[in-house]
Amino acid sequence: MKTLLRIDSSPRKQTSISRQLADVLQEKLEKSEQFSTLKRDVYYDELVTLGNEDSVTAYFTPEDQQTSTQREAVASSNILASEFSKADTYIFSVPMYNFGVTAGLKAYIDLISRAGISFKYTENGPVGLLENKKAYVIITTGGTKLGTGVDHVTGYMKTFLNFLGITDIEFINSDQIMADAEQVIAKATEIINNI
């Protein structure tokens, strides 16, 4: 059975539109294919934390040569990176905060971007190890128009996923919610229903 990994990144829970749309997409995908679904709420997950010097040095130290402090420092990252690399399909619910992704999502991305797990270094530069996977990225904004010069989410998410080898990406844009939330939600829901 394939694994669907859903990554929520909004600090809002009950009133989050990105989470609401991710619910619709998750239901749609689970109806169309048998998935074992995992969820990570990266804004609140206790495994998603900022690193420290021990974790940074551990990333570049072979596991059998790591100190006990280094092993402890990367334990959460090991869990998250392994879980991410084993999934087949991803849902990212990504609200734009101050023109970028939320702090929780950025920390999560840093924790799962691991040499030897999600990418590798070669003589020609880094190569992603997560090919033949599918990612859905739901981006919500309050007032910012996606695709403009101040949209630092769409390009960032594409670059990050491509870096890991994930090139089959479907963006579900739900921008400028403050202008007409009902219409934006309805349009995004229609896009999801036609997937």
Side-chain angles (χ1 to χ4, degrees):
M1 182 179 293
K2 290 186 175 180
T3 299
L4 173 64
L5 177 58
R6 172 175 164 174
I7 298 114
D8 288 305
S9 61
S10 176
R12 297 176 186 264
K13 289 195 174 184
Q14 302 304 319
T15 60
S16 168
I17 293 173
S18 64
R19 290 176 189 268
Q20 177 184 331
L21 292 172
D23 287 342
V24 175
L25 178 56
Q26 180 183 332
E27 184 178 344
K28 166 79 175 180
L29 294 178
E30 288 173 340
K31 280 184 180 175
S32 64
E33 191 168 349
Q34 285 279 28
F35 279 112
S36 170
T37 302
L38 303 173
K39 292 183 183 180
R40 282 284 170 198
D41 189 343
V42 298
Y43 208 89
Y44 294 100
D45 195 311
E46 61 188 36
L47 294 180
V48 180
T49 60
L50 297 178
N52 56 33
E53 189 170 357
D54 287 319
S55 61
V56 172
T57 57
Y59 295 148
F60 300 99
T61 303
E63 192 173 346
D64 62 349
Q65 296 174 31
Q66 291 173 357
T67 66
S68 60
T69 306
Q70 287 176 320
R71 281 193 295 276
E72 185 179 330
V74 294
S76 294
S77 176
N78 289 341
I79 292 167
L80 295 170
S82 177
E83 175 184 80
F84 189 87
S85 68
K86 290 176 182 172
D88 302 288
T89 303
Y90 309 92
I91 297 173
F92 287 88
S93 67
V94 186
M96 178 186 285
Y97 271 54
N98 300 313
F99 311 106
V101 299
T102 63
L105 182 55
K106 177 59 172 81
Y108 177 74
I109 285 170
D110 290 345
L111 291 167
I112 64 171
S113 300
R114 292 283 304 280
I117 299 176
S118 53
F119 74 95
K120 66 180 178 182
Y121 289 109
T122 71
E123 59 188 26
N124 298 318
V127 174
L129 297 174
L130 307 183
E131 296 178 330
N132 303 314
K133 296 174 185 278
K134 172 81 176 184
Y136 297 91
V137 182
I138 299 166
I139 303 175
T140 58
T141 76
T144 303
K145 179 71 178 162
L146 293 174
T148 64
V150 292
D151 171 11
H152 302 295
V153 174
T154 306
Y156 175 71
M157 291 301 297
K158 182 178 181 190
T159 300
F160 155 65
L161 291 167
N162 286 177
F163 171 71
L164 299 185
I166 302 168
T167 57
D168 187 358
I169 308 166
E170 191 155 344
F171 286 95
I172 299 160
N173 295 343
S174 312
D175 58 359
Q176 298 181 301
I177 288 168
M178 299 306 287
D180 188 342
E182 200 171 295
Q183 182 181 358
V184 172
I185 294 167
K187 183 178 175 185
T189 302
E190 183 180 354
I191 291 168
I192 291 168
N193 287 332
N194 289 324
I195 287 174

